[in-house]
Amino acid sequence: MATWANLGLQDSSSPLMEQLNFFHDHTLLILTMITILVGYIMGMLMFNQFTNRYLLHGQTIEILWTVLPAIILMFIAFPSLRLLYLMDEINTPSITLKSIGHQWYWSYEYSDFMNLEFDSYMVPTNELETNGFRLLDVDNRIVLPMNNQIRILVTATDVLHSWTVPSLGVKVDATPGRLNQLNFLINRPGLFFGQCSEICGANHSFMPIV
């Protein structure tokens, strides 16, 4: 979960989130290099005392500053597309969880078992235990196996919601009348927190996922 003064992404708990972390760092490095280069050139333009009266155009430099950005964009686009396709891949899931968004709580169904369904409400602050997390803990937590492909089916009954667990790299919209599917694998044991990430009314802030 996110802790105080944590400016970066959360520690990954799934291979997909690990890859998303790497991609974030890769893109940030490229952006840093571009910013430094452009900043340096602008600085030099400000403080440069020299001028060239005969320089009217430069074909070589114009070709360079057209081709180089295109190559740099390819270095961002290819890893990004690879990740997009990986996130959509469904690999023979061991277990299926159905998540239904309501105003303002989640209900879950384990489709592989008979009559295994429950509602998950946020624990109010006045009922919270000493070691509980305010606005993040729920009365009924989801239990999922580690090192297994998990399929989650997400829908809603009333308005748009979004089922999000940052440390698993999972974010999927819950749309009324539509079933969205996502696949993930948890590669370490733990307690993972998330929240609804689509503004869904007055109590949008109070429908966490654990």
Side-chain angles (χ1 to χ4, degrees):
M1 66 177 290
T3 47
W4 293 111
N6 185 1
L7 296 177
L9 297 168
Q10 294 183 24
D11 290 342
S12 66
S13 303
S14 79
L16 257 179
M17 189 56 196
E18 206 169 279
Q19 291 297 313
L20 285 166
N21 258 330
F22 290 148
F23 176 66
H24 169 267
D25 296 346
H26 165 80
T27 312
L28 203 63
L29 198 67
I30 293 172
L31 287 178
T32 307
M33 291 191 311
I34 292 169
T35 310
I36 289 168
L37 180 69
V38 173
Y40 173 74
I41 292 169
M42 285 174 73
M44 292 309 292
L45 279 172
M46 293 287 194
F47 302 111
N48 185 11
Q49 299 298 317
F50 301 107
T51 184
N52 185 339
R53 289 186 299 165
Y54 303 106
L55 184 65
L56 299 173
H57 60 83
Q59 295 292 332
T60 318
I61 191 81
E62 284 182 12
I63 290 167
L64 274 175
W65 73 44
T66 306
V67 172
L68 277 177
I71 293 168
I72 290 168
L73 280 175
M74 282 163 68
F75 273 95
I76 297 173
F78 286 132
S80 169
L81 285 170
R82 172 181 159 269
L83 268 175
L84 267 175
Y85 280 101
L86 272 175
M87 288 169 80
D88 257 355
E89 197 74 45
I90 302 289
N91 312 309
T92 52
S94 310
I95 190 168
T96 299
L97 173 72
K98 187 178 179 187
S99 169
I100 303 157
H102 306 269
Q103 284 181 310
W104 288 272
Y105 64 96
W106 294 99
S107 55
Y108 299 101
E109 298 172 10
Y110 286 83
S111 318
D112 305 287
F113 307 98
M114 295 293 283
N115 302 325
L116 185 44
E117 48 192 72
F118 56 87
D119 295 335
S120 180
Y121 289 87
M122 184 192 79
V123 179
T125 310
N126 57 344
E127 293 174 23
L128 208 58
E129 290 180 25
T130 322
N131 59 350
F133 293 107
R134 184 178 159 272
L135 303 185
L136 276 180
D137 254 323
V138 294
D139 54 0
N140 292 314
R141 292 171 173 172
I142 311 159
V143 180
L144 290 169
M146 188 179 120
N147 290 330
N148 278 283
Q149 288 292 341
I150 297 153
R151 173 174 58 185
I152 177 155
L153 303 172
V154 182
T155 187
T157 54
D158 35 47
V159 296
L160 287 178
H161 298 279
S162 183
W163 199 88
T164 307
V165 182
S167 59
L168 298 176
V170 175
K171 176 179 272 193
V172 57
D173 275 357
T175 313
R178 183 187 171 100
L179 209 57
N180 284 333
Q181 173 175 271
L182 210 68
N183 186 61
F184 62 93
L185 180 142
I186 303 170
N187 62 2
R188 60 176 183 163
L191 204 54
F192 309 115
F193 294 89
Q195 288 171 301
C196 173
S197 299
E198 188 76 62
I199 295 177
C200 57
N203 293 335
H204 158 66
S205 318
F206 312 114
M207 45 184 301
I209 299 150
V210 187

